[in-house]
Amino acid sequence: MSGGLMVTGGSCRPVLNIQPVPGNRIALDWSTAAVGYRLQQTNQIPLVPNPVWTPSSSLPVIGNSRFRVTNAIVAPSQFYELRKP
């Protein structure tokens, strides 16, 4: 009798870390294991029921097995999410 292991799924949503950095900016980072995820942003939550999410204009850099984006704070409210197309 032969044995085996079958694994399916495994598409867990990555955790997005957000931290303030000097110069009125924020740093966002997430695991490089989250292949295919893109950083999206909006300033419309909770003002509208279906906010428009747009891709972040900053490209991530890789360091210490993390994708990292640093953005200036330009609006009083800015929201981010990771989305896999």
Side-chain angles (χ1 to χ4, degrees):
M1 180 176 222
S2 65
L5 173 67
M6 181 189 303
V7 178
T8 60
S11 183
C12 296
R13 188 175 198 127
V15 174
L16 179 62
N17 296 312
I18 303 173
Q19 297 179 358
V21 293
N24 204 31
R25 300 177 304 151
I26 57 169
L28 303 102
D29 68 86
W30 63 99
S31 172
T32 54
V35 176
Y37 280 87
R38 299 250 185 196
L39 184 64
Q40 305 277 313
Q41 62 190 54
T42 187
N43 63 355
Q44 298 178 324
I45 294 176
L47 302 177
V48 296
N50 295 308
V52 175
W53 290 92
T54 58
S56 175
S57 58
S58 301
L59 295 176
V61 295
I62 297 174
N64 297 326
S65 300
R66 308 285 297 169
F67 291 113
R68 181 179 172 100
V69 171
T70 303
N71 283 350
I73 299 172
V74 296
S77 297
Q78 190 69 35
F79 305 91
Y80 295 90
E81 75 170 7
L82 292 172
R83 184 175 291 179
K84 192 169 187 176

